[in-house]
Amino acid sequence: MINYFRKTALITGGAGFIGSHLCDRLINDGYSVLCVDNYFTGSRDSIAHLLESDHFETLRHDITFPLYVEVDEIWNLACPASPIHYQRDPVQTTKVSIMGAINMLGLAKRLGCKIFQASTSEVYGDPEVHPQVESYTGNVNPIGPRSCYDEGKRCAETLFFDYKRKHNLEIRVARIFNTYGPRMHPADGRVVSNFIIQALKNEPITLYGDGMQTRSFCYIDDLVDGFIKLMNNDEGFQGPLNLGNPGEFTVRELAETIVELTNSKSDLVRRPLPEDDPQKRRPDISLAREKIGWEPKIPLEEGLKKTIVYFEELVRQGCERCS
């Protein structure tokens, strides 16, 4: 029986890695979901299991163009998030971050509804403060190859808070740190997916630089739980809020752990470090603990095992994107 009193959530980028998991969670929590995606990096495979649901629908749309729908809340996740993808068309990346935010904020203003922005730890650039706290304003190169994403997301945050101040819009802004899990794009160039696929195929694992740069890795279920708690917090805390796992590992440590978990014969090989690649990345989540009572629960090794199972199946099927 259809529940006509369900709230309807619009999720832009809903066919992406994080977006598809958010679709799952909201439907399980009693929402109807409108998934909007232009499939630049999203995949229909990620949402195929939802297509038979009475409470799920999809719309192919690029949010750099206005969208006219009736919903109860908006989750703005649309934007390519890995360097390989966002540098493929840097102008479009900037446009979806800024024009997409303007269009979604305009829709939220018209509807008078709450809106969530998926921002990023990349707003901190190559940080001079470690771990990164929300009050740190960052060290970002405005004209480098990563700037389309970094500065696009920084400008989107500006727009969200200006709409809050000028139009009293109810906003939520989360700064996402490295996240991993099933449904990651196998060709997104990120360390977790790269290392797992290389290890499963017994190919050399590529370390950029000396592998001593650090990252923090948050499992997807923990991140989505943080999203929900931020969006629904009773005190109306709007952010920006760091969401990530404060455990810090070198990229080399990650590679060695994946080799061990996959029983791989892969060797580690070094490649030049990309321009503006951050040397350190770890969230201070004190504010998340205080404001929304959130912290991640899934240890890295446990999350990696679940992610490896997903990629094992892709490799077994001969996934073209895994080559």
Side-chain angles (χ1 to χ4, degrees), residues 16 28 32 41 48 70 87 98 129 142 144 157 173 177 182 186 188 216 289 313-314 322:
N28 287 337
S32 293
T41 58
E70 304 298 319
Q87 291 173 1
I98 298 174
V129 171
E157 286 195 14
V173 177
F177 284 69
D188 66 5
S216 300
R289 292 189 178 107
E313 180 62 18
L314 287 188
C322 296

Side-chain angles (χ1 to χ4, degrees), residues 27-280:
I27 288 174
N28 287 337
D29 286 354
Y31 282 75
S32 293
V33 169
L34 171 59
C35 167
V36 172
D37 208 298
N38 68 351
Y39 300 104
F40 181 71
T41 58
S43 170
R44 292 176 180 82
D45 291 340
S46 296
I47 54 172
H49 62 289
L50 296 172
L51 295 178
E52 298 302 318
S53 170
D54 291 332
H55 307 296
F56 181 78
E57 60 180 314
T58 64
L59 174 64
R60 182 167 188 155
H61 181 79
D62 183 337
I63 65 164
T64 61
F65 298 93
L67 179 63
Y68 303 100
V69 293
E70 304 298 319
V71 296
D72 298 298
E73 59 187 40
I74 300 170
W75 301 74
N76 187 35
L77 277 63
C79 188
S82 74
I84 283 179
H85 291 148
Y86 66 64
Q87 291 173 1
R88 186 190 309 170
D89 190 344
V91 174
Q92 181 64 18
T93 297
T94 303
K95 287 172 66 177
V96 74
S97 292
I98 298 174
M99 295 174 62
I102 290 171
N103 287 331
M104 291 303 102
L105 286 162
L107 178 61
K109 177 188 171 187
R110 179 178 71 81
L111 296 174
C113 72
K114 191 187 309 183
I115 181 169
F116 178 99
Q117 168 66 4
S119 190
T120 173
S121 63
E122 297 301 326
V123 300
Y124 299 121
D126 190 4
E128 297 172 338
V129 171
H130 191 74
Q132 291 77 62
V133 293
E134 289 86 351
S135 58
Y136 176 52
T137 54
N139 176 38
V140 178
N141 178 0
I143 59 170
R146 301 171 69 101
S147 305
C148 57
Y149 184 69
D150 301 0
E151 295 286 42
K153 288 290 191 177
R154 285 165 67 92
C155 186
E157 286 195 14
T158 300
L159 287 162
F160 266 69
F161 281 89
D162 282 341
Y163 266 77
K164 167 67 177 176
R165 285 184 285 264
K166 184 172 178 59
H167 303 295
N168 199 32
L169 203 61
E170 190 172 5
I171 66 169
R172 300 288 189 271
V173 177
R175 291 176 176 167
I176 303 168
F177 284 69
N178 289 59
T179 302
Y180 70 100
R183 301 183 203 157
M184 292 184 78
H185 195 296
D188 66 5
R190 300 190 192 195
V191 287
V192 172
S193 51
N194 265 9
F195 289 176
I196 290 176
I197 290 172
Q198 290 168 340
L200 289 173
K201 299 172 75 173
N202 293 308
E203 297 175 349
I205 291 181
T206 50
L207 294 180
Y208 293 95
D210 60 7
M212 299 309 292
Q213 62 270 41
T214 65
R215 296 292 185 268
S216 300
F217 302 100
C218 185
Y219 190 67
I220 182 63
D221 291 354
D222 282 333
L223 180 75
V224 171
D225 185 54
F227 278 16
I228 301 297
K229 288 185 175 182
L230 174 58
M231 189 66 151
N232 297 330
N233 76 90
D234 293 333
E235 296 181 0
F237 176 70
Q238 60 198 12
L241 187 70
N242 290 340
L243 292 179
N245 194 313
E248 186 175 14
F249 301 87
T250 68
V251 174
R252 178 176 288 273
E253 286 175 321
L254 175 70
E256 291 170 347
T257 300
I258 288 173
V259 168
E260 180 180 349
L261 292 176
T262 56
N263 296 313
S264 177
K265 298 180 176 63
S266 296
D267 295 320
L268 307 185
V269 298
R270 291 173 59 172
R271 296 286 184 268
L273 192 67
E275 184 178 350
D276 295 332
D277 192 56
Q279 290 299 303
K280 296 180 179 180

